[in-house]
Amino acid sequence: MEVAIVTCPHCGQTVEAKDPTGGRTGGVRRRLKSEYRATRNTCPECGSEYDIRNP
């Protein structure tokens, strides 16, 4: 599992996130249907959940 640098869609903070896609993300969104979601992460700054989209 890789680590990606992403921007939290809730607070705008740049954070490191677990990325099972190997660095080929399709973006970061607040909520995605499970078929499009690679992983769900929690922002360490604001505590909100966000999803990394499959490429």
Side-chain angles (χ1 to χ4, degrees), residues 6-24:
V6 299
T7 301
C8 174
H10 299 278
C11 68
Q13 182 68 33
T14 302
V15 296
E16 291 184 359
K18 293 179 183 176
D19 179 15
T21 63
R24 294 178 36 228

Side-chain angles (χ1 to χ4, degrees), residues 28-48:
V28 177
R29 302 282 165 81
R30 290 183 182 206
R31 293 276 181 207
L32 284 172
K33 292 181 179 179
S34 60
E35 65 225 42
Y36 301 116
R37 179 181 0 166
T39 186
R40 177 164 284 163
N41 293 299
T42 302
C43 177
E45 296 296 320
C46 69
S48 299

